[in-house]
Amino acid sequence: MRVPLSWLREYVDLPAGETGRDVQAKLIASGLEVETVEQLGAGIEGPLVVGQVLTIEELEGFKKPIRFCTVDVGQANGTGEPQEIVCGARNFAVGDKVVVVLPGATLPGGFKISARKTYGKVSHGMICSGDELGMGDDGSGGIIVLPPEYEVGTDAIELLELVDEVLDIAVTPDRGYCLSMRGVARETGTAYGLPLRDPALLDVPPPNSYGYPVKVTDPIGCDRFTARTVVGLQPEARSPIWLQRRLQKAGMRPISLAVDVTNYVMLELGQPLHAYDRSLIEGTIGVRRAEPGEEIVTLDGTKRVLDAEDLVITDNRGPIGLAGVMGGANTEIADHAPDPETGAVRGTTEVVIEAAHFNPLAIARTARRHKLSSEASRRFERGVDPEAASAAAQRTVDLLVLLAGGTAEAGVTEIVAPSAPRTITIPADHPDKVAGVAYGRETVVRRLQQVGCDVYGQDELVVTVPSWRPDLTDPNDLAEEVIRLEGYENLPSTLPTPPAGTGLTERQRLHRRAGRALAGAGYVEALNYPFIGEAVLDQLGIEADDPRRRTVKLVNPLSDEEPSLRTTLLPGLLSALRRNDGRGSHDLALFETGLVFRPTGDEKPAARLPVDRRPTDAEIAALNAALPHQPRRAAVVLAGAREQAGWWGKGRPATWADAVEAGRLVAREAGVELVVRQDQHAPWHPGRCAALLAVVDGEEVLVGNAGELHPRVIKALGLPERTCAMEIDLDRLEQAGGGTVAAPRISTFPVATQDVALIVDSSVPAADVEAALRSGAGELLEDLRLFDVFTGEQIGEGKKSLAYALRFRAADRTLTADEASAARDAAVAAAVERTGASLRA
């Protein structure tokens, strides 16, 4: 909500020297989010005056139309002679009043005006458009053409109200009343302790039986509908400058007088209104739910197919408006235009004003269903004062009579569903208990009355909530009002004493250790949205029967392209990698730890939990049973160089081996040594994909995969060549780890190193050979490392040589050469027996 300070002063007598920054500080202290204070007209200096166009000469020979004009600016130029100005705009004629900036002036942005030669003429100043003066779009598409009543030489800075301050307020959903000058003025008056001149306090005639006929068939969707009629409007009447400027400062574009008046009253009172061309309405105005398949063309020119839940305004033909969202094109106020035969100005001369109160939930759902957020829907879905409808209609009628020369018909239609004001019973000391501050009954009553409440009682207060505060529903809401008006900054800072706890769970510790280990290895953490779409699963080459295809779909997703919760961490990481690579960072190593969501199909619909008491254990258990399985994962992606080249030597690119090592690194944090085997699993390259296995209860269990991505995946996602990735299940690692990782015991005795090279069939996995060597070497084996793989004619076709370094060490003595050799021989014998290996000479 944009609030011009000059407009705000009409309702609250602020101190003369009070600036926008001062008001901002006061409103922030009372709980409003005033984001910025915009200084309109900052740096603008005259002379900037009203001028009248005397002559126009069309200059030819240029790429665009250029006009050489003489303009009467009175005595503003010091001579009284016409001012010669070159202008390219086409929307003015001889005799029009325009805004002229003369040499020596300065426009917004520090643009200084001086006489200069252009297009073969000397231009002594400039005829101004709204954009050049910082006014925004005035709908003219060119320079400003003023009404003829303004005198030549009048100061345009004051006339156009160019200098002002505008407060930009971010209105939260519970403070919908602040989407109006009336609401912000009430908060300002309370903050300063000043009275409010309520613009809604108008003399409103009572309803009668001869107003425009209205029939409401859905009183739940529309509990109040006021209709007023104004006739005899002058089609050529334009919105006065003061009204246009207030709309522009509030962020709205002037359109036509009737529309501008309804927008102005909406900004002033917070009540959305709509004006119908009465000559285009057929029969009774109705309010009902739409019939499935009904259609309407809204004011934005879009044909919309209606849903049975949509609330619509109708006449005898069908829908003429989406209630509380946008009107229909078939009853739109007509722009004034001259009759081509007679020259008389034609346009709308009779209007029906609608001021209604609609159900907030119905309007919010309609606006989202049709992706059509409007100024009206923003207000209705946050809550509009139902008691302001008749006052808003009267204010609109008064302005149309005043500005457009219309006549208000005596008929007043007002349909109201019976309702009672909301009352809340609250102990007088309840705000004291919530805040931990002794406010006292008098302060509590005074603050609630400033909000607009009627308060009765002594120890137990009976509070009647004002109609413009639908967010006040229980005692805690009232306590919050008292506390914020007394000042959050006055609350004492008391650190709570936390109860003694057990610290982090083992699952939490593993999660943190995995993240620290990856960060220490040079990976950068990337936090991504947990949403995916079917398209990215297609790009990853995931088969239709893959469990990762079974997703949890959101009812109201942030993006229709990503409506599901992720089943793998890779889409988000790969998107981050692609984005960073596209911005010039080509050597990348990213990681993420987080939840994925795997529905089992056994989930039951979640029950709505109560809010007036703590849910029972059974209700919480039922809610948990409705959730999908949510394993915790860790994943990495790599591209470019893993080690940079420099004076220290050559660098090397990231390969599938780095992805596998990342998996091993995470597993070690859980105390697990992974078994690595060849695998085929999307989205990895079938020849460069590793299965990461952990031993659980004596059996190998798949905990993740690592390797180089498939070339088709890389092409589909636009990734760098040879991109690698790893994803591993932290929950399964925790299960395999068996608890807290024990620190290794370091022996003080020397190590004995033995190398062995074994020849096996090419089809034998190195992991099987390693497992056999470990089992045969016994307890003396401290470490085993594969350091060479060789194939060639020397060892025969279909064979490969695997060379291992075995480190032996005893905890209590120095091993002899015979002991180390015996352990090595036992390891070799086990490999020969289990894998068919032979010792390479």
Side-chain angles (χ1 to χ4, degrees), residues 623-683:
L623 182 64
N624 289 333
L627 299 176
H629 182 50
Q630 301 177 50
R632 189 176 295 277
R633 298 285 184 88
V636 306
V637 292
L638 305 99
R642 187 70 179 116
E643 294 179 2
Q644 297 290 336
W647 58 264
W648 53 84
K650 295 181 179 180
R652 69 174 183 85
T655 67
W656 62 268
D658 294 297
V660 173
E661 182 57 29
R664 285 196 169 110
L665 180 67
V666 172
R668 290 190 198 105
E669 295 300 319
V672 176
E673 284 296 331
L674 293 179
V675 178
V676 180
R677 299 187 185 279
Q678 187 175 1
D679 196 9
Q680 294 188 14
H681 189 68

Side-chain angles (χ1 to χ4, degrees), residues 147 149-150 238-245 257 403:
E149 61 264 23
Y150 294 108
R238 295 173 54 187
S239 300
I241 289 177
W242 65 265
L243 193 151
Q244 293 188 45
R245 290 297 292 133
L257 178 57
L403 302 177

Side-chain angles (χ1 to χ4, degrees), residues 211-234:
Y212 197 92
V214 175
K215 181 179 181 181
V216 177
T217 58
D218 188 347
I220 296 178
C222 176
D223 57 10
R224 184 181 292 262
F225 195 104
T226 300
R228 300 289 299 276
T229 304
V230 181
V231 299
L233 300 179
Q234 299 171 7

Side-chain angles (χ1 to χ4, degrees), residues 54-378:
L54 300 178
T55 64
I56 298 176
E57 177 188 349
E58 301 288 345
L59 301 182
E60 299 179 352
F62 301 102
K63 293 183 179 179
K64 61 180 182 179
I66 298 297
R67 310 167 101 185
F68 180 65
C69 311
T70 58
V71 184
D72 180 11
V73 295
Q75 296 298 319
N77 57 5
T79 65
E81 295 296 324
Q83 202 79 1
E84 296 179 340
I85 298 174
V86 176
C87 182
R90 312 290 297 176
N91 65 314
F92 65 96
V94 172
D96 282 345
K97 298 289 182 66
V98 294
V99 178
V100 180
V101 58
L102 300 177
T106 303
L107 294 183
F111 181 54
K112 296 186 179 297
I113 302 299
S114 61
R116 65 190 184 94
K117 187 172 182 179
T118 178
Y119 297 103
K121 301 284 186 179
V122 177
S123 182
H124 298 272
M126 186 169 70
I127 302 176
C128 298
S129 68
D131 286 336
E132 290 164 341
L133 298 178
M135 296 171 55
D137 184 11
D138 62 358
S140 67
I143 60 99
I144 302 170
V145 178
L146 299 172
E149 61 264 23
Y150 294 108
E151 292 185 7
V152 169
T154 302
D155 182 5
I157 295 179
E158 182 178 350
L159 175 66
L160 299 177
E161 302 176 17
L162 297 180
V163 179
D164 203 349
E165 295 180 276
V166 178
L167 286 71
D168 194 351
I169 302 176
V171 179
T172 53
D174 61 327
R175 308 288 288 279
Y177 67 97
C178 285
L179 287 172
S180 67
M181 294 299 304
R182 180 193 184 203
V184 176
R186 178 177 283 107
E187 289 293 327
T188 305
T190 302
Y192 279 90
L194 297 172
L196 167 71
R197 287 189 291 273
D198 192 344
L201 296 180
L202 302 174
D203 291 331
V204 180
N208 50 52
S209 60
Y210 42 94
Y212 197 92
V214 175
K215 181 179 181 181
V216 177
T217 58
D218 188 347
I220 296 178
C222 176
D223 57 10
R224 184 181 292 262
F225 195 104
T226 300
R228 300 289 299 276
T229 304
V230 181
V231 299
L233 300 179
Q234 299 171 7
E236 69 276 8
R238 295 173 54 187
S239 300
I241 289 177
W242 65 265
L243 193 151
Q244 293 188 45
R245 290 297 292 133
R246 287 189 172 179
L247 291 177
Q248 289 172 331
K249 292 176 185 179
M252 303 187 76
R253 180 173 64 87
I255 298 174
S256 64
L257 178 57
V259 176
D260 291 349
V261 166
T262 58
N263 286 336
Y264 177 83
V265 175
M266 177 186 68
L267 292 172
E268 184 178 49
L269 302 182
Q271 169 66 54
L273 302 109
H274 189 70
Y276 300 93
D277 189 326
R278 189 168 80 163
S279 65
L280 300 178
I281 303 176
E282 295 184 7
T284 300
I285 292 177
V287 184
R288 61 170 173 82
R289 300 285 175 169
E291 298 291 336
E294 274 189 310
E295 295 181 349
I296 183 175
V297 178
T298 47
L299 290 174
D300 59 356
T302 303
K303 179 183 287 188
R304 304 180 187 277
V305 179
L306 301 178
D307 186 89
E309 292 298 315
D310 291 334
L311 196 65
V312 293
I313 311 298
T314 64
D315 64 3
N316 291 346
R317 298 166 297 177
I320 59 174
L322 271 177
V325 181
M326 186 173 285
N330 53 356
T331 55
E332 182 179 6
I333 300 296
D335 289 336
H336 64 277
D339 188 295
E341 296 181 359
T342 65
V345 177
R346 296 187 303 180
T348 298
T349 59
E350 299 180 352
V351 296
V352 176
I353 306 300
E354 166 207 303
H357 184 263
F358 301 111
N359 181 272
L361 188 59
I363 301 306
R365 288 177 174 172
T366 296
R368 284 159 178 73
R369 187 179 299 117
H370 294 281
K371 297 181 175 60
L372 185 61
S373 178
S374 64
E375 291 289 340
S377 68
R378 287 182 62 227

Side-chain angles (χ1 to χ4, degrees), residues 77 295 423 551 585 592 669:
N77 57 5
E295 295 181 349
T423 60
T551 59
S585 298
E592 182 177 11
E669 295 300 319

Side-chain angles (χ1 to χ4, degrees), residues 10 46 173 277 408 412 511 710:
E10 285 198 4
D277 189 326
V412 178
H511 182 204
H710 198 290

